Amino acid sequence: MDPVVPPEITAELTQILSNLVQGDNEIRQNAEQAVNERLAQTPEQYLLALAQFAIIAELDVMRSFSLVLLRRLLFRVSPSPSQQHQPRLTLYDHLSSNTLTTLQRLLLHSLTHELSQDVRKKAVDTITDLANQEMARGRPWHALQSQAFAMTQYQAADRGVPPAALRESAFRVFAGCPNLVVDLQTDAVLGVFQKGLQDSESVAVRHAALLAAVGYLTAADPQQLSRSLALMNPMLETIHVLSQSLSQPSTTPKPVYQQLTQFLTTLTPLCSSHPTLFAPHLQSLLSFFPQLILPAVDSGPTPTMTRPFPSSASRQDAFVFPPPGTPTSAPEPEIDDEAEARSTMRLTALEFMISLSEARPSMVRKAENWVAVMIRACLEGMSELDEDEDVSVWLKDDPSTGSGTSDDSPPSLYEQSLDRIACALGGRAVLPPAFHQIPSMLADYDWRARHAGLIAIASIAEGTGKVMLNELGKIVDLVTPMFRDSHPRVRHAACQCVGQLCTDLEEVMQERYHQQLFSVLIPTLEDPEPRVHSHAAAALINFCEGVEHDTLIPYLDPIVERLLRLLNPGGDESQVHRYVQEQAITTLAMVADASEATFAKHYPTIMPLLLNVLRNADKPEHQRLRIKAMECAGLVAIAVGREIFRPDSAPLIELLIRIQKSPLDPNDTQLTYYLISTWAKIGQALGTEFEPYLPLVMPSILKTASSKTDISVYDDDDDSNTERDGWETVQVDGRTMGIKTSALEEKCQAFETLLIYCSTLGGKYAPYLTPTLEICIPCLKFDFHEGVREASAMLVPRLLDSGKISNTLSPQMVTATFNQLISCIRSEPDSSFLASLYKCFTESLQVIGGPSYLPQEYHVGIIEATKQQLQALADKRKSRANRLAGDPDVDKDDIALYEQFEEFALQEMDKLLTDLDRNHPLRIAVSSVRDLGVNDWDADEGEEVA
């Protein structure tokens, strides 16, 4: 085509682009500067030159690069300082209509003439971005619409471009810009899409058509959606056709697995956004989905029942790659690649089913075998640990370093999937099919099956807990014998299972089955394998978190004796595993916390050991051991009380001071956190006797509590816009912001520590009252961390009380406090924190002497703020009721949670109003808002009744 820019500009741009892809940093930076200069001087000519270069450049990579660069530059925000309060304009917004028309013509030429598939995909990306931007500004690109529809019909090669390639690109355009078709006649659009979905020549065309169909259905309005239901059949048929091709002798499985993965990945988002579209097709899906998500075994009509987990020999007979009848001369790595491709496809198909289950639980529960197939797939997948694994390697691994089975390994992904299924569907749907298989797994001779059965019980406990309680005794009877299993990984899994059950079914497990659990956990603390006895100690932590004091005491001595042997085994020091010592210390801390004063019997043995660790654990490899010892010493001190702890308080405090003053290791990111935490525990243990040590700890805690939030703001095209350790990215007003969460956690902990000191020391905290209030009051509006706000709300009344006791509370302090509280209550949108604010106000009011001591302006202010909040809560409840009436499948668990938080707020409102005036008319309004709640169902686990 004819050139659209002078040849000298083309020549210069060619040189600049060549320099941009150079490896030399200086050359590349100079080229970037040249691009910015040219765009500042003559932007239109250089953008057109880029588009032209995407057509005339000889090398594929340069044509592709020019399209990527054009797309980035077109929509880069113009650096204009006058736009601070204006819509953010891009370079594209400054183009003349002639330039824009020429640019569109060049891009359409690239789309229809480009021979390289990869370059054509880049052209599609740039074109769809431009089309979306045009439509957002009310300027439809009719030429693109017409050209794309024409391309979907191409059957003969056009200018050397294969017709299938053009059809694929057309559907990719529709996928990237659904608005090109949403306003057209529905039947015509469906006809084009159906033809693409059934394309007999190209799988790539079918996939592009599926992308376009998903985009179309996602963007369609309700009326269009109802008229487009017929599109679901050909969409789902694309998956079915691919799955059928696996049974054809001439098929090479690996590409089909990859294609199935691609198609399923494309379709899965529709499960979450429009799950009801799949309702008429569930049984059809079940006709072929089992072969996609289950291992390829050949063991009769019910393989799990007849041979749940075949031996290695039978597995080889039943699960062979390539399948019989295909060439067997492929090298070994290709077979591994094929197995990996099938594994990925299985997990992708399972993800499709789980996404649909999570989006519409009541719908899939009614589909016969839907849940059972998913559960069987998870159980089979969880058992597929490496058959050739050398268990000695696993035993030698240090679990504290994150070694062992990775979280993204297939067995771990199946485990996570099972947990999601249980949480989505509940116990009545999940437990029967799960326990149809788990008992036989626990009795299987293959250790991997036994391991999977135990991990499965742990995985489903959270989601099925309420129903599982009915059969908990039988489950405990199934699990406890596994602690005597011959394989260490099974014993390890048994510890994991019991620990998880103690967490998810807290108190019930500890109250009903403590004798059975202790009878297996305590002996396992002496297991010959360190990884096993360490995990038994970890499971004891879960047990102690929900145990009653009197239940634990009879078992205290044997537990502590064994934990002490793990901590200080004696003998050859080279055989001591540091992670075992760390776990023993952590468990001792939890046991001390749970047993309280009864732990005093063991104090003379344990505290010297902990002090010894703190004296000598000063090497980099001892970082975790040292912080665990600090934490344990603090918890032991609280458990035994001030009288017993007092003699050792001075040595412990001296060690903490030494650690605090030692040079900070930049790699020891947790030391500051645990130092603050341990000081707080010592303060809690010593009570008012801690006052002399406040000058040692308060400066650093006040500094941490007053620290500014570390925030980074990223541009949309900023390459640094990625997750970093200790950081979290959030979207605020269309901008991407990074927040340093590790610093926020330290700030929160500092506030919690200030609360402990102020509550414990009372009037003796007075020297620090003013600086603490100055930090605390503004943080009632600290939106970046819920824990900081909650701690601030609890701290305010304690600070006022400290000032009152010490006669240092000034009128200015009271005024600043109530001003901020009323301001916060008036604007707070979070019902949960609103309850905390009202409680803070009520407690603060009691500290100053009651309502009669509250100035009239604050009476008026809090009543007006309460009226606003009651109106807001009423509006929210009415809106939810309307939504529930219009869609009975709305997630009732979410509504129940919202209303529970609102109920807390309403209760605290009513308490404050009662204190102000027992007959206050707003109390009737509180009752009226409470009556607007829709949470009046009583179904088990919040499950809808079928």
Side-chain angles (χ1 to χ4, degrees), residues 44-318:
E44 299 198 346
Q45 293 230 6
Y46 276 87
L47 288 174
L48 290 176
L50 261 180
Q52 180 177 273
F53 194 76
I55 297 171
I56 65 174
E58 294 183 3
L59 297 177
D60 293 357
V61 65
M62 295 306 294
R63 297 198 303 280
S64 180
F65 177 58
S66 63
L67 286 164
V68 172
L69 188 59
L70 175 65
R71 182 184 176 196
R72 177 174 295 185
L73 295 176
L74 268 176
F75 306 114
R76 189 171 66 179
V77 177
S78 299
S80 173
S82 63
Q83 291 180 24
Q84 290 181 356
H85 303 290
Q86 301 290 331
R88 300 172 69 205
L89 297 179
T90 65
L91 197 56
Y92 155 81
D93 290 297
H94 298 287
L95 298 181
S96 67
S97 59
N98 287 338
T99 298
L100 192 55
T101 300
T102 304
L103 182 63
Q104 292 175 351
R105 179 166 54 83
L106 291 171
L107 289 173
L108 288 179
H109 185 279
S110 173
L111 180 67
T112 54
H113 290 72
E114 177 57 59
L115 298 177
S116 166
Q117 181 182 4
D118 290 337
V119 179
R120 197 164 51 253
K121 285 183 178 179
K122 297 295 190 300
V124 168
D125 292 340
T126 305
I127 285 170
T128 54
D129 264 16
L130 183 58
N132 286 321
Q133 294 286 348
E134 283 280 85
M135 290 187 177
R137 289 159 176 80
R139 301 195 299 259
W141 190 352
H142 295 297
L144 173 62
Q145 186 183 58
S146 175
Q147 182 64 53
F149 267 105
M151 288 168 61
T152 64
Q153 307 301 318
Y154 281 7
Q155 297 298 324
D158 185 23
R159 304 173 187 86
V161 183
L166 292 173
R167 297 198 300 273
E168 178 191 356
S169 294
F171 284 114
R172 285 188 176 276
V173 167
F174 292 143
C177 186
N179 286 331
L180 284 171
V181 293
V182 292
D183 293 333
L184 298 180
Q185 208 274 333
T186 302
D187 290 342
V189 174
L190 296 188
V192 169
F193 283 177
Q194 182 166 346
K195 188 174 180 181
L197 290 165
Q198 296 171 342
D199 195 285
S200 59
E201 182 182 345
S202 170
V203 175
V205 173
R206 298 204 298 271
H207 178 246
L210 183 64
L211 281 167
V214 169
Y216 173 75
L217 292 175
T218 302
D221 61 38
Q223 287 187 343
Q224 285 175 313
L225 206 58
S226 65
R227 295 196 301 267
S228 305
L229 296 179
L231 193 57
M232 289 299 295
N233 277 321
M235 289 170 65
L236 296 176
E237 185 63 16
T238 60
I239 311 289
H240 188 209
V241 168
L242 284 173
S243 68
Q244 285 182 314
S245 67
L246 286 170
S247 60
Q248 298 172 4
S250 60
T251 299
T252 304
K254 179 185 171 184
V256 181
Y257 295 146
Q258 293 171 333
Q259 291 160 2
L260 279 165
T261 298
Q262 194 178 40
F263 277 61
L264 287 162
T265 301
T266 299
L267 198 54
T268 297
L270 199 61
C271 294
S272 300
S273 62
H274 294 76
T276 53
L277 291 176
F278 296 87
H281 306 282
L282 294 185
Q283 289 304 322
S284 298
L285 291 173
L286 283 172
S287 68
F288 64 93
F289 254 73
Q291 77 178 84
L292 301 184
I293 66 173
L294 295 172
V297 294
D298 182 16
S299 53
T302 55
T304 304
M305 290 299 295
T306 56
R307 186 170 43 176
F309 297 96
S311 66
S312 58
S314 61
R315 281 172 184 262
Q316 290 170 1
D317 293 339

Side-chain angles (χ1 to χ4, degrees), residues 295 308-316 319 378-391 405 411 415 437-438 440-456 482 485-491 493:
F309 297 96
S311 66
S312 58
S314 61
R315 281 172 184 262
Q316 290 170 1
F319 192 65
C378 291
L379 295 177
E380 300 259 13
M382 289 167 63
S383 73
E384 293 170 0
L385 295 166
D386 186 359
E387 193 171 5
D388 299 322
E389 176 198 76
D390 183 355
V391 70
T405 304
E415 177 187 340
Q437 297 176 229
I438 288 174
S440 63
M441 294 170 69
L442 297 180
D444 199 290
Y445 65 90
D446 188 338
W447 71 267
R448 295 172 301 165
R450 303 195 299 275
H451 180 277
L454 289 165
I455 298 300
M482 310 308 291
D485 196 275
S486 60
H487 200 286
R489 291 205 61 176
V490 177
R491 300 196 299 276

Side-chain angles (χ1 to χ4, degrees), residues 601-644:
K601 172 183 177 181
H602 302 282
Y603 178 86
T605 306
I606 291 173
M607 187 56 81
L609 282 173
L610 296 174
L611 294 175
N612 187 53
V613 170
L614 292 175
R615 288 190 191 97
N616 300 307
D618 52 3
K619 296 179 181 178
E621 60 267 27
H622 294 144
Q623 289 174 358
R624 283 173 55 86
L625 189 63
R626 180 171 58 180
I627 62 177
K628 295 291 185 184
M630 288 164 51
E631 180 182 44
C632 185
L635 285 171
V636 167
I638 293 172
V640 300
R642 177 167 48 191
E643 297 302 321
I644 294 176

Side-chain angles (χ1 to χ4, degrees), residues 787-842:
V788 172
R789 294 201 298 167
E790 290 287 353
S792 299
M794 289 188 282
L795 181 55
V796 165
R798 304 288 81 76
L799 289 170
L800 298 181
D801 193 46
S802 174
K804 184 178 181 180
I805 294 171
S806 59
N807 293 317
T808 57
L809 183 64
S810 67
Q812 292 79 9
M813 292 178 181
V814 173
T815 298
T817 299
F818 283 100
N819 262 330
Q820 181 75 340
L821 279 171
I822 292 172
S823 174
C824 291
I825 287 172
R826 184 181 297 114
S827 59
E828 181 55 50
D830 180 356
S831 300
S832 177
F833 186 58
L834 184 63
S836 301
L837 287 172
Y838 271 101
K839 185 176 182 181
C840 176
F841 195 103
T842 301

Side-chain angles (χ1 to χ4, degrees), residues 389-628:
E389 176 198 76
D390 183 355
V391 70
S392 63
V393 174
W394 180 85
L395 289 171
K396 290 177 183 177
D397 279 340
D398 182 346
S400 66
T401 62
S403 57
T405 304
S406 62
D407 287 339
D408 59 354
S409 68
S412 291
L413 294 175
Y414 282 112
E415 177 187 340
Q416 295 164 32
S417 297
L418 186 60
D419 174 54
R420 289 170 58 193
I421 292 168
C423 290
L425 300 176
R428 287 186 295 180
V430 169
L431 286 179
F435 278 92
H436 185 66
Q437 297 176 229
I438 288 174
S440 63
M441 294 170 69
L442 297 180
D444 199 290
Y445 65 90
D446 188 338
W447 71 267
R448 295 172 301 165
R450 303 195 299 275
H451 180 277
L454 289 165
I455 298 300
I457 295 174
S459 299
I460 64 177
E462 179 186 2
T464 68
K466 290 184 179 179
V467 178
M468 186 182 281
L469 287 175
N470 300 328
E471 302 292 335
L472 192 53
K474 295 178 182 177
I475 294 172
V476 171
D477 289 341
L478 276 174
V479 172
T480 48
M482 310 308 291
F483 281 83
R484 297 185 292 275
D485 196 275
S486 60
H487 200 286
R489 291 205 61 176
V490 177
R491 300 196 299 276
H492 185 276
C495 297
Q496 176 71 26
C497 182
V498 164
Q500 195 63 51
L501 288 172
C502 287
T503 296
D504 293 330
L505 304 174
E506 189 174 309
E507 296 182 2
V508 178
M509 282 286 288
Q510 289 87 334
E511 180 183 345
R512 294 183 191 173
Y513 305 106
H514 56 85
Q515 186 172 359
Q516 290 163 270
L517 297 180
F518 277 131
S519 70
V520 292
L521 280 173
I522 293 175
T524 309
L525 291 171
E526 298 180 301
D527 191 278
E529 302 299 345
R531 286 202 68 172
V532 177
H533 59 235
S534 172
H535 212 49
L540 275 173
I541 291 179
N542 300 64
F543 186 94
C544 289
E545 285 177 337
V547 74
E548 292 291 334
H549 173 270
D550 293 342
T551 301
L552 177 63
I553 297 311
Y555 306 98
L556 184 62
D557 290 352
I559 290 174
V560 173
E561 289 167 6
R562 285 162 176 78
L563 289 173
L564 286 174
R565 282 202 289 271
L566 297 183
L567 176 60
N568 189 30
D572 187 358
E573 285 294 321
S574 65
Q575 300 302 311
V576 176
H577 294 267
R578 193 176 301 113
Y579 73 83
V580 175
Q581 292 181 305
E582 292 167 3
Q583 185 60 66
I585 289 177
T586 305
T587 307
L588 278 169
M590 183 57 66
V591 171
D593 190 42
S595 58
E596 299 172 342
T598 315
F599 198 78
K601 172 183 177 181
H602 302 282
Y603 178 86
T605 306
I606 291 173
M607 187 56 81
L609 282 173
L610 296 174
L611 294 175
N612 187 53
V613 170
L614 292 175
R615 288 190 191 97
N616 300 307
D618 52 3
K619 296 179 181 178
E621 60 267 27
H622 294 144
Q623 289 174 358
R624 283 173 55 86
L625 189 63
R626 180 171 58 180
I627 62 177
K628 295 291 185 184

